[in-house]
Amino acid sequence: MANRLAVGNWKMNTTLDEALSLVGGLASALKAAPVENVGVGVAPPFPFLEPVGRAIKESGAAIALVAQDCHAEPKGAFTSAVSVPMLASVGVTHVIVGHSERRKHFGDDDACVRAKLEAVLAAGLVPIVCVGETLEQRESGQAEAVVGGQVRAALEGVDLSTVVVAYEPVWAIGTGKTASPAEAGAMHTYLREQVLSEIAAGKPVPLVLYGGSVKPANIDSLAATPHIGGVLVGGASLEASSFAQIVQGCANNGSE
Ligand code: PGA
């Protein structure tokens, strides 16, 4: 695994043509300016995983295929759901679980996130577990308790060697508001030095990505912040050139 990671979460955006042109643009940008210490991934909508994966292969670019979610069961009567073995069979290597939009709009609670995480690990894929507090929780001084609790619920007792965590304050997602490097850094330090190091029990502590309105304009200061091991990017990943600039920002400002 590269020692940093930048993942573009396309959410419910793009048609097939747009998805292919987006990944094509990104592949060209990465080939023109390769990065060594940053793993790059894209998370297209489910129907486009296979064609986007094929386009990546044909381009020769090093881009990981990431799924935005999964079901916890490997198969069965769960109309519309997509299982981890299905994702693995089309070349997916990483799966996002517990994104705040899943938690908010689809009722994914801590138990559901844990079950999905275990399904991802059981299939040998890398889970990217998202955690984050709402504005109300932050303003009432509960941010660490909430985020620490989400991390513990997802990861206590789990072998962390292939796990990635993403800290995404809910109030910063898609709002244009970004946690300041100091705010994000404080949470990343708390997670890595206290919560995750306790769970890791002497083994290596996972990367913690930052997510929430990451843009070319703020990547340098975020990426230079200790304990920020990369980024999970929504809106700004829908344009190849801006996501490529973010990847470069991660590569140029590595703090670990
Ligand atoms: P955003 O989304 O970059 O559009 O704020 C981040 C995310 O939800 O992962």
Side-chain angles (χ1 to χ4, degrees), residues 22-36 38 40 54-63 240 243-245 247-248:
L22 180 52
V23 76
L26 180 62
S28 310
L30 292 176
K31 283 173 89 178
V35 288
E36 275 177 12
V38 182
V40 178
R54 201 171 335 149
I56 291 170
K57 215 176 255 170
E58 281 163 12
S59 76
I63 301 174
F243 187 55
Q245 281 177 59
V247 170
Q248 289 296 335

Side-chain angles (χ1 to χ4, degrees), residues 9 11 99-101 168 172-176 211-214 232-236:
N9 174 10
K11 307 191 180 181
H99 190 281
S100 66
E101 286 151 16
E168 300 203 296
I173 295 178
T175 58
S213 299
V214 175
L232 182 53
V233 185

Side-chain angles (χ1 to χ4, degrees), residues 23-216:
V23 76
L26 180 62
S28 310
L30 292 176
K31 283 173 89 178
V35 288
E36 275 177 12
N37 55 342
V38 182
V40 178
V42 294
F46 285 141
F48 310 146
L49 281 165
E50 197 276 336
V52 164
R54 201 171 335 149
I56 291 170
K57 215 176 255 170
E58 281 163 12
S59 76
I63 301 174
L65 196 58
V66 181
Q68 298 177 15
D69 186 41
C70 64
H71 194 277
E73 295 297 327
K75 63 179 175 181
F78 300 99
T79 300
S80 89
V82 177
S83 74
V84 184
M86 291 175 186
L87 296 171
S89 76
V90 296
V92 166
T93 54
H94 298 59
V95 184
I96 297 170
V97 296
H99 190 281
S100 66
E101 286 151 16
R102 291 292 319 173
R103 293 181 192 256
K104 181 173 171 203
H105 302 301
F106 301 93
D108 288 19
D109 59 11
D110 281 344
C112 167
V113 173
R114 172 73 181 224
K116 289 180 175 185
L117 173 112
E118 287 180 1
V120 175
L121 289 173
L125 273 56
V126 176
I128 302 174
V129 191
C130 299
V131 294
E133 81 287 357
T134 63
L135 188 57
E136 208 180 13
Q137 290 164 333
R138 173 160 285 263
E139 285 177 345
S140 60
Q142 295 171 277
E144 284 189 353
V146 168
V147 175
Q150 290 172 338
V151 169
R152 286 199 174 88
L155 297 176
E156 223 144 41
V158 167
D159 174 0
L160 299 183
S161 52
T162 63
V163 169
V164 175
V165 174
Y167 169 56
E168 300 203 296
V170 176
W171 48 272
I173 295 178
T175 58
K177 286 187 202 161
T178 318
S180 67
E183 283 169 325
M187 184 63 82
H188 283 240
T189 302
Y190 167 68
L191 291 179
R192 293 195 84 230
E193 290 189 348
Q194 297 190 45
V195 183
L196 289 165
S197 64
E198 196 184 305
I199 299 171
K203 299 221 179 97
V205 173
L207 283 185
V208 180
L209 314 183
Y210 171 78
S213 299
V214 175
K215 304 184 259 297

